[in-house]
């Protein structure tokens, strides 16, 4: 027992020295989805900007599968040394309700680093769809119900969550059609094989501005600068239908506070980078403010979103396992 204080002091010294030298090598940022998707795009922009601040490269690694839970578990099980971190979206908050056998607890298996971004969803349909306005769209769905086909990229995907909330809000179910990704959905929407979907503005700015699809509303408090003609759901008469796809950065539980603080500082600097702000604006995504890109802000956001989505998902009765 006499040696315990010395051991504790030695451990503290080693941790302090380690943190002072961090990072000494490249950092791996796990994206729990396939390359080319919106989360991958946001992660790569963020990693590049953070690398400049940290002085070491952040390498993006795509670990897709099981609605983002495989990649998240990879980080949860990684050494808590700051060299493996995670970028995840709203799925971090919905996984506890969607997966009844989830192998980790989001609020316990990770250390929050900070919020990254928030992207609104857009309600879109094939060009030949009968409704011209959001109000007409809601009326048409209420009248035709299951005759309307709604595409999503799998249970737990952002477009699935958006559709679930939309149908819950208007009190009408559509026929849902699962796809293996957003790309195939857009292909079939452009071809008229599917009626509608709800997808991140990150994905839809191009097709909307090129008038390849009909856009009815955006689920944000204000109109997007890149989509000035698309009304908000509040303007369109459904203010309770609000959903944004937010992203955060996490580290494994037990990562030293000094390391977390360095990562948070780098994240805050990244959110202020002119290049990142410009690219985020192009894809209708809001970068986190300095106050949002903090450990406490992400912790609070995650807790509140878990509480928000739990009853909605359970009421829908759709689970991923």
């Amino acid at each position: 027992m006499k040696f315990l204080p010395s051991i504790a002091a030695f451990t503290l010294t080693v941790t302090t020295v380690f943190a002072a030298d961090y990072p000494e090598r490249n950092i791996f940022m796990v994206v729990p989805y396939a390359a080319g998707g919106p989360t991958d795009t946001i992660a790569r922009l963020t990693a590049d900007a953070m690398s400049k601040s940290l002085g070491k490269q952040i390498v993006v690694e795509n670990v897709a599968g099981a609605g983002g839970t495989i990649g998240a578990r990879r980080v949860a099980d990684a050494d808590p040394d700051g060299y493996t971190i995670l970028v995840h979206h709203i799925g971090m908050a919905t996984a506890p309700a969607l997966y009844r056998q989830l192998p980790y607890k989001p609020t316990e298996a990770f250390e929050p680093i900070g919020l990254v971004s928030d992207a609104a969803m857009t309600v879109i349909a094939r060009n030949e769809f009968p409704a011209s306005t959001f109000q007409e769209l809601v009326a048409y769905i209420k009248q035709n119900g299951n005759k309307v086909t709604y595409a999503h990229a799998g249970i737990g995907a952002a477009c699935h969550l958006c559709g679930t909330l939309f149908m819950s809000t208007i009190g009408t179910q559509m026929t849902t059609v699962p796809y293996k990704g957003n790309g195939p959905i857009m292909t079939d929407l452009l071809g008229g094989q599917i009626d509608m979907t709800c997808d991140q503005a990150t994905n839809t700015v191009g097709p909307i501005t090129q008038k390849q699809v009909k856009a009815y509303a955006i689920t944000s408090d204000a109109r997007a600068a890149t989509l000035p003609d698309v009304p908000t759901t509040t303007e369109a008469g459904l203010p309770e239908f609000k959903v944004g796809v937010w992203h955060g950065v996490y580290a494994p539980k037990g990562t030293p506070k000094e390391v977390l603080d360095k990562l948070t500082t780098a994240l805050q600097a990244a959110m202020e980078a002119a290049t990142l702000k410009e690219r985020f604006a192009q894809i209708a995504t809001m970068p986190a403010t300095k106050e949002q890109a903090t450990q406490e802000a992400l912790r609070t956001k995650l807790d509140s979103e878990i509480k928000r989505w739990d009853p909605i998902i359970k009421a829908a009765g759709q689970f991923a396992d």
Side-chain angles (χ1 to χ4, degrees):
M1 296 297 291
K2 294 181 180 179
F3 297 100
L4 288 179
S6 298
I7 293 172
F10 174 76
T11 302
L12 178 61
T13 300
V14 170
T15 300
T16 303
V17 171
F18 166 78
D21 293 336
Y22 174 85
E24 296 183 288
R25 61 181 188 272
N26 289 346
I27 299 165
F28 285 89
M29 177 181 280
V30 172
V31 176
Y33 300 100
T39 298
D40 180 67
T41 298
I42 286 168
R44 290 179 187 278
L45 291 170
T46 302
D48 183 61
M50 287 180 68
S51 296
K52 292 179 173 62
S53 176
L54 290 167
K56 293 293 181 180
Q57 187 68 34
I58 297 182
V59 180
V60 173
E61 180 183 5
N62 298 91
V63 184
T69 60
I70 294 176
R73 185 173 185 179
R74 167 82 69 86
V75 177
D77 293 340
D79 290 335
D81 55 10
Y83 289 99
T84 304
I85 58 179
L86 173 73
V87 168
H88 207 331
H89 64 26
I90 188 175
M92 184 70 109
T94 58
L98 286 167
Y99 292 86
R100 290 162 292 187
Q101 302 297 323
L102 191 66
Y104 56 85
K105 290 186 177 181
T107 56
E108 297 178 9
F110 302 93
E111 303 282 3
I113 293 171
L115 285 160
V116 174
S117 63
D118 196 354
M121 304 292 284
T122 50
V123 181
I124 60 176
R126 55 184 173 86
N127 265 337
E128 298 77 17
F129 199 73
S132 298
T133 66
F134 186 71
Q135 293 89 336
E136 290 179 8
L137 174 70
V138 172
Y140 185 90
I141 294 171
K142 286 186 175 182
Q143 184 176 357
N144 292 277
N146 288 329
K147 293 180 182 178
V148 181
T149 51
Y150 178 90
H152 66 77
I155 293 178
C159 46
H160 168 257
L161 298 171
C162 186
T164 298
L165 181 60
F166 180 50
M167 288 183 277
S168 172
T169 303
I170 66 175
T172 306
Q173 293 296 308
M174 295 178 279
T175 295
T176 57
V177 183
Y179 282 72
K180 292 185 177 180
N182 298 92
I185 290 176
M186 189 59 70
T187 297
D188 280 2
L189 198 65
L190 296 179
Q193 282 81 43
I194 202 79
D195 286 329
M196 63 173 294
T197 190
C198 180
D199 199 4
Q200 294 181 58
T202 308
N203 288 338
T204 62
V205 168
I208 291 172
T209 55
Q210 294 166 24
K211 300 189 183 303
Q212 295 175 308
V213 296
K214 279 187 176 180
Y216 293 99
I218 187 166
T219 64
S220 55
D221 293 325
R223 295 193 184 200
T226 48
L227 297 171
D229 297 327
V230 180
T232 67
T233 50
T234 298
E235 291 173 324
L238 205 65
E240 60 270 42
F241 177 40
K242 288 277 179 61
V243 56
V245 182
W246 52 273
H247 288 80
V249 185
Y250 306 82
K253 188 70 174 180
T255 301
K257 182 67 165 58
E258 294 84 353
V259 171
L260 293 174
D261 289 345
K262 283 193 174 184
L263 288 166
T264 295
T265 299
L267 176 63
Q268 290 174 330
M271 294 298 102
E272 291 297 318
T275 302
L276 181 140
K277 285 186 173 183
E278 181 181 349
R279 287 289 289 113
F280 272 23
Q282 291 171 354
I283 56 177
T285 298
M286 291 293 295
T289 64
K290 186 175 182 179
E291 293 73 26
Q292 293 169 330
T294 63
Q295 297 158 36
E296 187 55 37
L298 178 53
R299 183 179 292 107
T300 299
K301 181 73 170 181
L302 180 61
D303 287 342
S304 64
E305 287 285 275
I306 288 174
K307 292 174 183 176
R308 179 195 182 200
W309 283 100
D310 184 78
I312 295 172
I313 292 169
K314 288 179 178 177
Q318 294 181 325
F319 303 98
D321 56 9

